[in-house]
Amino acid sequence: MGIKREKILAQWEDRSDMADVISINDIHRFFVIGNQQFEALKGITFAVAEGEFVAIMGASGSGKSTCMNILGCLDRPTRGRYLLDGTDVGEMSADQLARIRNRKLGFVFQGFNLLPRTSALENVELPLVYAGVTSRERKIRAEAALEKVGLAGKERNHTSQLSGGQQQRVAIARALVNNPSVILADEPTGNLDSRTSDEIMALFTTLNSQGITIIMVTHEHDVAAYAGREITFRDGIIIGDSRRAPASYGE
Amino acid sequence: MDLLQTLKVAFRALRTNKMRSFLTMLGIIIGIAAVIAMMAVGSGAREVISQQIASIGSNIILVLPGSTTSGGLRSGSGGVQTLTSDDAKAIGSELPSVEAAAPSIRSSGQAVYGNMNWSTIIWGTSPEFFDIREWKTGSGRSITRQDNDGASKVCLIGETVAENLFGSSDPIGKTVRLKKIPFTVIGVLERKGQSPQGQDQDDAIYVPIRTAQRKLVGSQFPNTVGSIMVKARSSAQLEQAEEEIKSLLNQRHRIVQGKEPDFSIRNLSEMLAVAEQSSKAMSLLLGAVASISLIVGGIGIMNIMLVSVTERTREIGIRMAIGAARNDILMQFMTEAVLLTLLGGFIGILLGSAGATIVSSFLGWPTLISIASITVAFFFSGAVGIFFGFYPARKAAGLNPIDALRYE
Ligand SMILES: Nc1ncnc2c1ncn2[C@@H]1O[C@H](COP(=O)(O)OP(=O)(O)O)[C@@H](O)[C@H]1O
Ligand SMILES: [Mg+2]
């Protein structure tokens, strides 16, 4: 059993280096409201390389979430090309997209989006359930993911018995558990106080240092400061894209 | 998503709304209970009817005096008296499709033995009667041709009469008084049980028909009989035999064409068919109750599942966001619906079995809850869940992930 566990964890840690994980080109997204047409994204182009930590900034309503939903394969662009790990996502069926969300992407939401009346462990196991992983392996991997986000010992707690910060950690563990290429986080600290926000950002920084690509939306500059790259949106277009040395945790 | 996990999720969903789940199941419970009761009543009735067919004897035709249109059965005294012993003899000996014919005449009166007396039906009949009815003598001997020709004062008694007059002592050779006339008991008939009309067939005394005609039935027409029982050679020849009897009696009674006959012919299997019909009608009624409540129950389930899908739109969004395929969502909600109906079906099977047991004990029928009927009920409840759960489940599976996630 010990050997099996090591093997499962080793496979989970293994990730081969690749070039651009995400590449979007001239993405447009129209919404129809009544008989009005509204263009939330007016031609977005950028690429994210393996291992990057990107913060997306911008005023409310500038199209950040719309863009993240497209990156997360939860929504489709009206126009434009999206390559994930070199494959064109635009051509894929709904079920293929479900598979991509399950295997390649991990989503962290502002409102946590955990299942109520369900334990932390079961929430983290859920992506593995849909991946068809056996229950024994599910448990091992979910426990390891919870340990990684600092929640060892809280496996049996229901989500209602956890603090906001702890709930967001469960959500991060759930995003991590299927070994994704990219973690997408839409205002992950939006519902947390500043101390808890710092803890969550420290966790993201650690995960990024272990090689996980992270794209995170925020409108707080001190949160964005943890990222090595900052893309700024305004009214559905990119008005800034800058790289810098990230502020490390504890500075 | 594996089945175990799907079942766990479905159970949890049903447990969260216990009362709602139970109320939703109610229609299925009633429907399935009706299905079980229907099948139990149906097969119980069939069982009883086939027992009765066996007790009457097969391929039997009854010839009665008076025409069907002018009143049917002869009713005691005052009815028409048009059939004679000679008609019976002619039917029994002249017709190719007829195996045997036995006349009988009915009278009721007191049977007295010592200080015991018992009021019963006294039949006068010929020896062929017992062959036609396939009715054996349990002890002693049956009525013979000699008894009949000599109008002997002998009698055969049914089990019920034997018990009531003689108790545990042997009746054979004893003398009973029928309407004050002494008769020697020559035999006791085997137990026959209830007739299709619910009468105790063992509560009867049989004497030779000539004896009855002369001593027991005060009639101005000494040769008349109350009815003639005929046995056809086979069930295939029943109709043929009826035709032959009709034309023979028309000829003997000089009934010209177009004139009303003074006799009527009844096929006992037809009478049984009537009994069967009424049990079918009962089954049909229960079947209607079953199908209506299954449909109504199914619609209730569809309704609640639609509510559940709407309530859990966000949960569906979360599941889709982390990788649930449409089929996973479809299966989740289908499982929930089918689990609901199967649980309802299970309770319905228990209730229906209890109900059928009570009803059949009232009617004195055997309780027949077969594995087959339970299987049918089980599959029915599952099918209702699949049929009515499909639309809500498909609605859930067809949700757009982002719309579901943003649903408030
Ligand atoms: N499903 C939708 N239907 C209509 N309009 C939408 C929809 N989603 C977003 N929008 C509009 O698109 C714009 C960008 O929204 P969003 O991407 O959520 O902004 P933010 O940068 O605050 O995350 C907003 O004006 C919003 O009202
Ligand atoms: Mg937003």
Side-chain angles (χ1 to χ4, degrees), chain B residues 219-265:
Chain B
S219 167
Q220 64 266 55
F221 308 107
N223 209 22
T224 57
V225 299
S227 64
I228 301 171
M229 193 172 269
V230 183
K231 184 181 173 76
R233 288 199 187 279
S234 69
S235 60
Q237 279 165 285
L238 264 174
E239 256 174 71
Q240 176 69 23
E242 270 187 54
E243 284 308 310
E244 287 170 6
I245 294 165
K246 202 176 283 171
S247 64
L248 178 76
L249 289 180
N250 278 339
Q251 188 192 329
R252 285 177 64 88
H253 295 193
R254 300 197 173 74
I255 312 239
V256 290
Q257 235 180 2
K259 230 187 118 198
E260 189 93 337
D262 59 358
F263 59 90
S264 61
I265 297 177

Side-chain angles (χ1 to χ4, degrees), chain A:
Chain A
M1 167 157 177
I3 290 165
K4 187 76 189 287
R5 186 170 189 274
E6 296 308 325
K7 206 172 143 196
I8 290 164
L9 292 177
Q11 278 170 358
W12 181 48
E13 302 283 358
D14 176 50
R15 44 182 68 251
S16 47
D17 281 291
M18 276 195 27
D20 286 346
V21 181
I22 280 176
S23 158
I24 55 173
N25 193 3
D26 197 25
I27 292 284
H28 293 255
R29 181 67 169 97
F30 293 87
F31 289 114
V32 180
I33 310 154
N35 49 14
Q36 293 265 50
Q37 232 195 24
F38 176 76
E39 192 172 8
L41 297 178
K42 300 166 180 163
I44 300 287
T45 304
F46 66 86
V48 176
E50 169 97 53
E52 269 194 289
F53 187 170
V54 182
I56 294 179
M57 300 279 290
S60 184
S62 58
K64 306 181 298 289
S65 292
T66 306
C67 183
M68 284 297 265
N69 292 337
I70 289 170
L71 292 180
C73 296
L74 295 166
D75 194 13
R76 292 176 193 265
T78 315
R79 196 148 48 109
R81 233 159 91 93
Y82 173 14
L83 299 182
L84 178 64
D85 273 347
T87 40
D88 193 341
V89 170
E91 320 267 271
M92 290 185 177
S93 69
D95 283 348
Q96 282 172 311
L97 290 181
R99 210 180 145 82
I100 293 280
R101 289 196 294 271
N102 186 239
R103 310 287 163 100
K104 295 205 165 182
L105 303 171
F107 232 109
V108 179
F109 303 90
Q110 179 176 356
F112 319 136
N113 274 340
L114 298 174
L115 291 187
R117 294 179 293 278
T118 307
S119 72
L121 188 72
E122 281 176 287
N123 264 291
V124 177
E125 278 188 32
L126 211 52
L128 301 175
V129 167
Y130 292 118
V133 174
T134 63
S135 68
R136 206 172 75 82
E137 188 177 336
R138 277 204 307 260
K139 192 158 177 287
I140 293 169
R141 281 168 63 174
E143 278 171 356
L146 279 169
E147 198 182 314
K148 205 164 188 168
V149 300
L151 282 182
K154 298 281 183 199
E155 291 88 353
R156 301 282 152 216
N157 287 55
H158 279 206
T159 49
S160 57
Q161 300 163 330
L162 298 171
S163 70
Q166 286 172 325
Q167 288 189 49
Q168 196 59 298
R169 284 168 191 270
V170 173
I172 294 169
R174 184 180 67 186
L176 282 175
V177 76
N178 219 1
N179 190 22
S181 312
V182 185
I183 286 187
L184 299 162
D186 193 349
E187 300 196 37
T189 60
N191 286 10
L192 304 174
D193 60 52
S194 62
R195 202 176 67 86
T196 321
S197 295
D198 285 340
E199 284 170 20
I200 294 294
M201 290 319 298
L203 177 57
F204 274 132
T205 306
T206 312
L207 293 174
N208 181 241
S209 70
Q210 290 165 0
I212 297 176
T213 309
I214 299 174
I215 302 175
M216 173 188 70
V217 168
T218 181
H219 49 236
E220 293 167 61
H221 281 283
D222 50 341
V223 171
Y226 286 90
R229 180 179 171 192
E230 194 173 302
I231 297 176
T232 311
F233 276 50
R234 186 195 287 160
D235 293 335
I237 56 164
I238 293 177
I239 57 159
D241 188 345
S242 61
R243 279 163 219 269
R244 51 135 191 274
S248 64
Y249 172 63
E251 240 176 28

Side-chain angles (χ1 to χ4, degrees), chain B residues 4 13 35 46 49 61 97 103 121 138 152 157 198 212 242 261 265-266 275 281 338 343 391 398:
Chain B
L4 192 75
V35 167
R46 259 196 307 285
I49 286 164
I61 295 164
S97 301
I121 297 163
S152 320
I157 62 176
E242 270 187 54
I265 297 177
R266 296 189 176 214
V338 171
L343 274 175
Y391 175 70

